[in-house]
């Protein structure tokens, strides 16, 4: 198996960046159909209040119990390892949680796995950070 060229590697990185950006928009729009296709069946979602699976995350988004109103992305880093991509976003997230609007600083870790020609989100983890946090 040949190693991907630098150009191919950077194309994949850009594809993952774009996919992550689309995901934030789909979450804001409560577009559970697009998200259901993106989220791997075995995906996990790690929040400040708990960790749950794909079905629960989609239910939370669809019901609006958490509305990911706006993710202001300040910084993005991507690493590609074989058929796995890891993306880190440093964001300010404005969300409506059970009717209350809140704003939090997070570094969000997203793990994607390539299956055939599609990338599937395996993990989305919110880590609470200071606004001075940077990704190295």
């Amino acid at each position: 198996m040949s190693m991907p060229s630098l150009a191919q590697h950077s194309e994949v990185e850009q594809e993952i960046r774009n996919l992550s950006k689309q995901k934030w928009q789909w979450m804001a729009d409560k577009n559970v159909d697009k998200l259901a296709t993106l989220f791997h069946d075995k995906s996990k979602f790690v929040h400040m209040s708990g960790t749950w699976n794909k079905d629960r995350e989609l239910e939370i988004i669809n019901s609006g119990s958490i509305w990911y109103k706006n993710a202001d992305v300040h910084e993005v880093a991507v690493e590609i390892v074989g058929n796995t991509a890891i993306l880190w976003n440093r964001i300010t997230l404005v969300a409506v949680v059970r009717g209350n609007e809140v704003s939090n600083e997070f570094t969000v870790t997203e793990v994607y796995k390539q299956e055939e020609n599609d990338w599937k989100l395996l993990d989305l983890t919110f880590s609470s950070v200071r606004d001075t946090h940077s990704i190295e």
Side-chain angles (χ1 to χ4, degrees):
M1 192 160 133
S2 65
M3 295 295 292
S5 71
L6 239 71
Q8 289 169 318
H9 205 74
S10 94
E11 278 178 31
V12 172
E13 277 187 27
Q14 193 56 53
E15 183 182 354
I16 295 299
R17 286 171 185 265
N18 293 342
L19 193 55
S20 174
K21 187 176 178 180
Q22 278 184 313
K23 172 207 49 28
W24 289 123
Q25 190 59 54
W26 293 337
M27 289 170 91
D29 294 342
K30 302 178 188 175
N31 190 335
V32 290
D33 293 339
K34 292 274 191 190
L35 293 168
T37 301
L38 175 65
F39 296 167
H40 192 281
D41 286 344
K42 298 215 179 271
S43 57
K44 293 283 189 261
F45 300 83
V46 182
H47 292 264
M48 291 193 294
S49 59
T51 299
W52 45 79
N53 64 17
K54 172 182 177 173
D55 290 344
R56 178 81 178 112
E57 182 74 5
L58 291 171
E59 176 190 314
I60 284 167
I61 292 167
N62 194 42
S63 71
S65 62
I66 299 175
W67 174 25
Y68 300 94
K69 196 172 175 182
N70 183 53
D72 186 8
V73 179
H74 308 295
E75 190 177 358
V76 179
V78 179
E79 292 287 343
I80 310 295
V81 182
N83 68 345
T84 303
I86 306 167
L87 177 139
W88 297 269
N89 296 279
R90 191 173 60 77
I91 69 170
T92 302
L93 179 66
V94 175
V96 178
V97 182
R98 291 179 290 285
N100 299 311
E101 187 167 291
V102 293
S103 177
N104 287 294
E105 302 294 325
F106 291 111
T107 289
V108 179
T109 304
E110 301 174 28
V111 179
Y112 294 88
K113 180 179 188 287
Q114 191 170 29
E115 292 191 339
E116 295 167 20
N117 292 325
D118 291 328
W119 288 95
K120 298 290 185 181
L121 181 76
L122 274 174
D123 174 77
L124 181 74
T125 298
F126 289 88
S127 301
S128 185
V129 295
R130 294 184 179 96
D131 62 0
T132 55
H133 180 93
S134 66
I135 301 168
E136 290 185 21

